[in-house]
Amino acid sequence: MNRNNIYSVVILVFVWIILREAFSPFSLIVGIILSVGCLYFYHKYLPLKRVENIRYPRLILYVFYLVGQIYVSGFYVIKLIVKGASVDIIELKTKITNESLKVLLADSITLTPGSILLDLTDEKLTLLCLMKKNDTRDLKAMDDFLKGRLENQLIKVQK
């Protein structure tokens, strides 16, 4: 078992204990068993490249950053809805090369209110998102708003 797998097991056990809302020897043992099982099935059956070349301490910090961005986006979406919003499908490109981090970016964009991932192929993200009514559709501004900050943080997570 390499170091990345050990970090993954520790993180998954930590999440398991938080979700279970109980810390006991039984919870810890079950968490370890489930985490090892999840990693086994991940490596054996998922078509993504292995989770390598990731800075795990930065990834942990990214989780806190994402929670903050979810709240910021929530207030922005409230403002859009009150003033009037329209829905549009846009395509954005990402600079992230790691497959796992691309999926994490796509999930992060979906977690932030006002956008839903429709498709992820190579470096292209197709999103359904709320926009200002009668927006001139400035894709650079939308790119910066929807994925710019999240993508920049995930680029720092890559080795």
Side-chain angles (χ1 to χ4, degrees):
M1 196 176 241
N2 67 19
R3 189 171 16 163
N4 284 342
N5 286 337
I6 292 171
Y7 287 143
S8 298
V9 167
V10 169
I11 290 170
L12 289 172
V13 168
F14 181 71
V15 169
W16 169 255
I17 289 177
I18 288 173
L19 292 176
R20 186 120 156 82
E21 296 180 359
F23 181 73
S24 66
F26 177 75
S27 292
L28 188 63
I29 292 168
V30 170
I32 291 170
I33 291 168
L34 290 174
S35 299
V36 170
C38 286
L39 283 177
Y40 170 75
F41 284 109
Y42 172 80
H43 290 301
K44 184 167 178 133
Y45 296 111
L46 286 178
L48 300 172
K49 292 180 183 173
R50 299 182 77 186
V51 180
E52 294 177 347
N53 300 325
I54 292 178
R55 294 182 181 111
Y56 279 92
R58 284 219 183 245
L59 185 61
I60 293 169
L61 291 175
Y62 175 76
V63 171
F64 295 107
Y65 180 78
L66 177 61
V67 170
Q69 290 302 306
I70 290 171
Y71 280 102
V72 169
S73 294
F75 288 116
Y76 178 76
V77 167
I78 291 170
K79 187 173 114 179
L80 273 179
I81 292 171
V82 169
K83 290 186 175 184
S86 63
V87 179
D88 200 1
I89 295 175
I90 63 171
E91 292 181 352
L92 304 173
K93 290 187 178 180
T94 182
K95 299 172 193 163
I96 296 174
T97 57
N98 185 306
E99 288 294 319
S100 298
L101 292 179
K102 283 182 191 177
V103 171
L104 184 59
L105 174 64
D107 290 341
S108 299
I109 290 173
T110 300
L111 281 172
T112 55
S115 58
I116 297 173
L117 178 74
L118 299 176
D119 189 31
L120 172 64
T121 54
D122 296 326
E123 75 275 347
K124 188 175 77 169
L125 300 162
T126 304
L127 303 167
L128 176 70
C129 63
L130 285 176
M131 299 176 69
K132 293 178 185 176
K133 272 193 175 178
N134 303 323
D135 195 357
T136 58
R137 197 165 177 188
D138 181 12
L139 286 180
K140 176 67 175 143
M142 288 304 293
D143 186 87
D144 289 342
F145 176 72
L146 287 173
K147 71 167 186 66
R149 293 180 184 168
L150 297 174
E151 181 182 50
N152 289 338
Q153 291 297 320
L154 285 174
I155 287 173
K156 292 177 185 176
V157 171
Q158 287 186 136
K159 281 187 182 176

